[in-house]
Amino acid sequence: MKIKSIIFVFCSVAVSFRLMGQKANEAIQTGNDLYKQQKYDQAELQYNNAIALEPSGSTAKFNLANTLYRQGRKDEAVKKFGDLSDNEEKAALKSKIYYNKGVVLSAQEKLEESIEAYKNALRQEPNDKEARENLQKALLELKKKNPPKKKEDNPKKKKQEQQKKQQQPKMNQKEAEQRLKLLEQKEKEVQQRLQKEKAKTGGGQAKDW
């Protein structure tokens, strides 16, 4: 993924501009030149010099974090971006910090953390197209990595259960019909017996049996 950079441009400085600030700017410019040449270890030294000269400056720290990432030192880069985002107040720079943090986290396959970083970048700069695209990519990757869990069905077992359900009611019905016929036959026999007894005795109330 493309990582954003800040290229320091010299501006006219007031006469009262401090000498240390000027030297810090020169170190940043030198570091940027080395960064473009992919001499990241040398660029790192220049950015560290700039930070030593002007500890409150954000540009050198931001570019240093980028340099660490280019050297494969991803954990250090994430920490630098995290420290920067906590202290930076300018929305434009803060958005870039979060964006680059998201890029590094994506490279580490820490998708949930990268998603949050891209969201933070968009909170600062809602129109950042690159942050929005990377957020969508990270969300898709996370979905592929953690697909929704499906209920595990055993087709053979399911078929056997269905057959059992289909067979069971038929057997129960047959048994019920047989029992009903037996009850009807028994009742018929009882009625016949009662009628015979009634005919002999001339009536009367039958006892419970």
Side-chain angles (χ1 to χ4, degrees), residues 123-140:
R123 289 185 183 110
Q124 301 300 319
E125 291 287 340
N127 296 322
D128 190 331
K129 184 179 178 181
E130 290 175 318
R132 192 169 300 280
E133 288 176 352
N134 283 1
L135 173 59
Q136 291 173 349
K137 288 177 185 177
L139 287 167
L140 285 172

Side-chain angles (χ1 to χ4, degrees), residues 137-194:
K137 288 177 185 177
L139 287 167
L140 285 172
E141 286 297 319
L142 183 62
K143 190 175 181 180
K144 289 178 184 177
K145 190 175 180 181
N146 301 317
K149 291 183 179 179
K150 295 182 179 179
K151 292 182 179 180
E152 293 183 2
D153 292 330
N154 188 329
K156 189 175 180 181
K157 186 177 180 182
K158 192 174 181 181
K159 189 176 180 180
Q160 289 175 346
E161 288 177 352
Q162 288 176 345
Q163 289 176 345
K164 189 176 180 181
K165 285 180 181 179
Q166 289 172 355
Q167 292 172 359
Q168 191 69 25
K170 290 180 182 178
M171 292 176 64
N172 288 340
Q173 187 177 356
K174 188 176 180 181
E175 289 176 358
E177 287 174 356
Q178 289 175 348
R179 288 179 183 179
L180 183 60
K181 285 180 181 179
L182 288 171
L183 288 170
E184 287 174 351
Q185 182 66 30
K186 187 176 181 181
E187 185 178 2
K188 188 177 179 181
E189 291 173 358
V190 171
Q191 290 294 333
Q192 289 175 349
R193 181 169 58 82
L194 288 172

Side-chain angles (χ1 to χ4, degrees), residues 102-120:
V103 170
V104 180
L105 289 166
S106 292
Q108 293 178 302
E109 296 186 357
K110 296 179 180 179
L111 296 173
E112 292 179 357
E113 293 178 56
S114 72
I115 287 166
E116 189 58 33
Y118 292 134
K119 285 180 179 178
N120 284 329

